[in-house]
Amino acid sequence: MRFALWGRKRRDRELQEEIETHLTLAEREEMELGRTRKEAAFAARREFGNVSIAEETTRDVWGSRWLGDFFQDLRYAIRTLRQRPSFATVVVLTLALGIGANSSAFSLVDSAFLHALPFHEPERLVHVWTTDAAGDLHTPSPAEYLALRETSKSFEQVSGAGWKRFFYDNAQSSGQSLLGLVITPNWLPTLGINPLVGRNFLDEEQISGREAVVMLSHTCWRTRFHSDPGIIGKKINLDRRAVTIIGVLPQSLGPYYEDIDLFAPLVLDSYKENGEARSGKVRVQIVARLRPGVTLDQARSETEVIAQQLREHRPAADRSGHLVIEDFAETFRHSGPTRQNAQRGMRLTACAATLVLLIACANVASLLLGVALRGTRRLRCARHWAVRAAAWSDSC
Amino acid sequence: MSGQKGYQNRTEILQGTLDMLILQTLQWAPRHGYALSKAIRTNSGEILKVDTGSLYPALHRLERKGWIAAEWKKSEVGPRLRVYRLTPSGTKHLLAERSRWEKVLEAISGVLNPAKNESEA
């Protein structure tokens, strides 16, 4: 490619020189006819016409040259490959294996490490986990959520979310189960996301009896409601009661909360009422936003105090009920206790895939070498043309 | 000289014949672009005007097709010149073009002078 460009530049220079010479010669002749230098130059230019257009059209003649050369090379390559189908198959398969392994490993790494989060100042976002007796991470209980929300000073926002299945009924279909995320009204502000259309939940909508409102994910709005622009205010039948659609969330949320169709209010007072009976089963995913200037360590020590108060009646050696604060992005890379293994595994996979590609290239190179050593046919052909070219240039 | 008048009387070269005229003119001797355009003008009795805007594209196109070859030559008067010469395949092409052109001329004159043809028939 560089050679082609270089050749092109040289050709351009030479063309300019050629036309310049033409003008000089014409000018000289006009001067011999008795014109002044200025008149001669003018006459020569007029006779020639537009220089840059002439240059441009000449360049066009050469323009597709390297494309032509490229196609010639391509034809040659295809011919050669067709002459040796088994060789071609082996090379294609080897390279396909190497490239395929690499691209899949890269897409893993890409989704895990390289994608920026579409949230406002994601470095201030944290996830809060609780621990079980074995010290593994789990989603906190509603009590832990409420304690953190009410007493902590390190966080600007502490929001909660939980998974829930909804039964969706409409006139056309016989009823479907939709995946929903029940969220506190501050969940969207914590992430720094605004609904695409409509509004977020209000505080009073997390009280049971007033929570008959729902927001749709972008995908759900597009696929189930055909991107209906007048969707806000419509009522749909969820869990056998009429629920009003109040908003649609932006597409950027998609990759992080995949497969979620609906967002509904997280009703907290039902936890309060049923308190202990349900707290063992219901869990609240906590997403919190650190106050500006508060470090992760400061938040951790404060949270540990809060957790301590909640655990007071339990023995000190008990490893459950510790609140663990984790960088939000980390969680999205891999949630759960095996995340570090997964990360290490992913790096290894990427390295292995690169190695596979290198091995594939080495194999193809040695195959080509073998073919070249045996490929005397082509050499003979090249020699034939070289001899002919030499003979021809001698004769001229 | 017939200068100004010659300019006005000159005719644009017929579409598709410039290549042939260039090849024909180069048959006698290698020439650079300016000399070539002058030669065509002179040989046509100052009638055919070679539009330089199409001369250089034509030269480079013919070079690409391998019918002519170019070479930079030092001239005694100063700037170096890009001199074109006919290649063997160019000669072959010129012959083919000439016979085609003669057929076209014959056909056109046949159309222009139908009486002659009819009387022969």
Side-chain angles (χ1 to χ4, degrees):
Chain A
M1 205 60 154
R2 252 184 74 194
F3 281 115
L5 280 175
W6 182 76
R8 204 179 154 81
K9 269 190 188 143
R10 190 187 50 128
R11 214 158 43 225
D12 282 354
R13 252 197 338 267
E14 287 187 352
L15 178 63
Q16 263 176 8
E17 187 181 343
E18 191 178 6
I19 287 175
E20 207 56 54
T21 311
H22 183 112
L23 288 170
T24 314
L25 292 176
E27 195 182 307
R28 253 183 226 175
E29 204 168 279
E30 295 286 343
M31 275 165 79
E32 277 164 22
L33 291 175
R35 292 175 197 253
T36 64
R37 194 188 176 85
K38 217 172 144 190
E39 278 172 355
F42 180 72
R45 289 252 163 200
R46 191 188 53 192
E47 171 74 7
F48 191 94
N50 190 319
V51 172
S52 48
I53 287 181
E55 279 180 8
E56 201 55 50
T57 29
T58 311
R59 260 200 289 276
D60 285 349
V61 170
W62 291 105
S64 53
R65 169 74 179 251
W66 29 324
L67 202 66
D69 286 353
F70 169 73
F71 280 121
Q72 205 175 352
D73 286 350
L74 197 69
R75 270 201 300 276
Y76 177 73
I78 290 172
R79 212 167 48 234
T80 315
L81 289 179
R82 276 173 68 178
Q83 278 166 6
R84 299 172 219 274
S86 54
F87 171 72
T89 316
V90 170
V91 168
V92 167
L93 283 181
T94 315
L95 288 178
L97 182 74
I99 295 168
N102 248 282
S103 64
S104 51
F106 176 76
S107 59
L108 261 178
V109 171
D110 176 56
S111 62
F113 300 116
L114 305 178
H115 256 299
L117 296 167
F119 309 127
H120 175 65
E121 292 182 21
E123 65 280 359
R124 275 168 57 207
L125 288 175
V126 294
H127 261 286
V128 183
W129 303 105
T130 187
T131 53
D132 64 7
D136 283 340
L137 298 183
H138 286 277
T139 309
S141 68
E144 283 166 326
Y145 166 68
L146 289 170
L148 195 66
R149 181 174 182 166
E150 272 145 35
T151 47
S152 82
K153 300 275 184 291
S154 313
F155 302 106
E156 201 172 88
Q157 299 268 19
V158 180
S159 70
W163 304 95
K164 191 181 172 191
R165 287 223 157 256
F166 288 94
F167 184 74
Y168 170 58
D169 237 349
N170 68 0
Q172 286 95 49
S173 63
S174 56
Q176 293 156 305
S177 164
L178 298 186
L179 186 59
L181 194 70
V182 285
I183 55 176
T184 54
N186 66 349
W187 189 79
L188 284 179
T190 304
L191 292 177
I193 284 174
N194 287 316
L196 185 70
V197 284
R199 62 167 177 86
N200 189 12
F201 301 127
L202 304 174
D203 280 339
E204 58 262 33
E205 280 163 352
Q206 54 185 332
I207 299 164
S208 63
R210 304 181 67 169
E211 86 285 21
V213 284
V214 72
M215 286 190 281
L216 304 178
S217 77
H218 196 270
T219 313
C220 175
W221 176 56
R222 214 178 49 229
T223 55
R224 279 178 211 281
F225 298 95
H226 314 292
S227 302
D228 179 3
I231 193 85
I232 307 301
K234 286 198 175 154
K235 283 192 193 308
I236 55 171
N237 204 344
L238 277 188
D239 288 351
R240 308 209 183 285
R241 60 177 191 158
V243 171
T244 311
I245 296 171
I246 61 154
V248 176
L249 292 182
Q251 202 164 15
S252 59
L253 207 59
Y256 301 93
Y257 292 93
E258 227 166 354
D259 305 332
I260 294 177
D261 297 307
L262 302 169
F263 291 81
L266 173 61
V267 177
L268 283 164
D269 58 357
S270 67
Y271 291 128
K272 275 184 187 159
E273 284 160 20
N274 308 331
E276 291 306 304
R278 292 184 61 190
S279 67
K281 291 169 196 155
V282 179
R283 294 282 161 176
V284 182
Q285 253 185 40
I286 303 177
V287 178
R289 179 172 285 278
L290 292 171
R291 276 186 206 286
V294 174
T295 66
L296 216 54
D297 284 335
Q298 287 168 339
R300 276 181 183 139
S301 46
E302 194 207 18
T303 310
E304 187 47 39
V305 174
I306 296 168
Q308 184 75 45
Q309 286 163 358
L310 283 173
R311 289 183 287 133
E312 250 162 14
H313 55 283
R314 272 181 266 176
D318 188 355
R319 293 170 70 197
S320 70
H322 287 271
L323 290 179
V324 175
I325 296 186
E326 192 179 60
D327 186 20
F328 189 74
E330 281 294 312
T331 316
F332 268 105
R333 284 162 192 168
H334 324 278
S335 50
T338 54
R339 69 189 186 287
Q340 281 187 349
N341 279 340
Q343 255 181 22
R344 211 176 304 137
M346 208 172 288
R347 278 203 196 97
L348 272 176
T349 313
C351 291
T354 313
L355 207 65
V356 167
L357 183 63
L358 283 177
I359 292 170
C361 288
N363 278 335
V364 170
S366 59
L367 274 174
L368 282 172
L369 203 66
V371 167
L373 286 176
R374 260 174 281 134
T376 45
R377 218 181 91 114
R378 202 193 145 198
L379 270 179
R380 234 183 291 135
C381 179
R383 204 162 53 218
H384 164 79
W385 283 108
V387 169
R388 272 195 61 169
W392 178 72
S393 64
D394 280 349
S395 73
C396 291
Chain B
M1 81 173 246
S2 59
Q4 285 302 325
K5 202 152 190 302
Y7 269 104
Q8 274 141 31
N9 284 347
R10 262 181 238 157
T11 322
E12 294 289 330
I13 286 177
L14 214 58
Q15 188 83 43
T17 59
L18 179 60
D19 288 7
M20 188 173 66
L21 294 181
I22 291 173
L23 294 177
Q24 176 64 40
T25 312
L26 287 179
Q27 208 186 9
W28 312 120
R31 274 176 226 267
H32 54 84
Y34 181 67
L36 192 66
S37 77
K38 252 184 67 181
I40 292 177
R41 198 167 59 188
T42 318
N43 290 347
S44 72
E46 301 283 332
I47 298 251
L48 293 178
K49 177 197 172 194
V50 183
D51 174 23
T52 28
S54 44
L55 173 69
Y56 284 97
L59 281 173
H60 286 245
R61 191 174 54 241
L62 292 174
E63 188 190 346
R64 248 201 91 174
K65 291 198 170 151
W67 292 332
I68 60 177
E71 207 180 348
W72 284 100
K73 285 232 168 89
K74 268 212 136 67
S75 72
E76 56 272 32
V77 285
R80 59 176 191 152
L81 299 165
R82 199 158 197 259
V83 175
Y84 297 90
R85 60 173 165 70
L86 204 62
T87 65
S89 78
T91 314
K92 220 182 280 173
H93 180 74
L94 173 64
L95 289 176
E97 276 294 285
R98 280 194 71 146
S99 75
R100 195 180 67 90
W101 179 247
E102 267 146 30
K103 273 194 201 118
V104 170
L105 271 188
E106 218 172 291
I108 290 176
S109 62
V111 173
L112 292 180
N113 311 306
K116 193 181 154 205
N117 271 354
E118 272 163 25
S119 67
E120 276 175 6

